[in-house]
Amino acid sequence: MVNQALKYGHDKRLPTLNKIVTIGGPFDGLTGFLSTQTEATVRRLDVKPSRFTKHFSEMLKYRHNFPDNVKLLNVYGDTNTGYNNDGFVGVASARSIRYLLRGKLTQYQEAFYSGEQAAHCALNQNPSVAHKMIAFLW
């Protein structure tokens, strides 16, 4: 959905995007996968990636197309295995959407989860994530 909004965000033939929820989004690829930084350190880092993947650089080119006045909830996790990721997507990569869409959103929220239920494939089945998402959307 983010890629579509970046490419076609001002196309009046498409529905208006008001709110979006991202769950474990690999916005700057899997660059954080082998990181051994601690979770606390990664969460303190600026959301601007230290290096841009090819995909992230392409998304930056289209950020002006992203519709204005969108509210975003960014859900991401860390399995606490020492790699600062959800098993696939690094915390820093998931958080990089904030940098990508800076100045475009009317509201940005992050929801961080840790432990077994924060694994990439488990996030969308985590009851806490479901409650947070429902509260945000409705």
Side-chain angles (χ1 to χ4, degrees):
M1 177 55 86
V2 172
N3 284 328
Q4 180 181 355
L6 286 167
K7 287 192 176 183
Y8 309 108
H10 291 300
D11 189 334
K12 299 298 182 197
R13 298 172 294 175
L14 297 175
T16 302
L17 181 62
N18 295 314
K19 292 183 178 181
I20 187 170
V21 176
T22 58
I23 301 176
F27 301 106
D28 195 26
L30 301 176
T31 56
F33 187 71
L34 296 176
S35 171
T36 57
Q37 293 175 301
T38 65
E39 171 188 313
T41 302
V42 170
R43 293 195 69 209
R44 278 194 307 267
L45 292 174
D46 189 12
V47 293
K48 180 180 180 181
S50 57
R51 65 184 177 108
F52 297 165
T53 61
K54 183 178 177 182
H55 178 69
F56 193 80
S57 295
E58 283 297 309
M59 289 191 301
L60 280 171
K61 289 180 188 177
Y62 293 102
R63 70 181 299 280
H64 66 278
N65 289 333
F66 196 87
D68 296 322
N69 303 317
V70 174
K71 296 177 181 177
L72 186 141
L73 171 62
N74 185 21
V75 177
Y76 59 94
D78 183 349
T79 56
N80 295 330
T81 57
Y83 295 108
N84 301 306
N85 65 46
D86 63 11
F88 292 99
V89 178
V91 170
S93 180
R95 294 187 72 223
S96 68
I97 193 169
R98 185 174 189 174
Y99 176 79
L100 174 67
L101 298 178
R102 69 197 182 284
K104 300 293 289 177
L105 303 169
T106 57
Q107 181 182 23
Y108 175 83
Q109 292 181 36
E110 288 186 344
F112 173 74
Y113 296 88
S114 63
E116 263 183 45
Q117 289 192 318
H120 188 74
C121 295
L123 278 169
N124 65 346
Q125 298 173 24
N126 182 328
S128 296
V129 172
H131 291 294
K132 181 79 172 175
M133 188 170 63
I134 289 166
F136 174 78
L137 292 173
W138 307 108

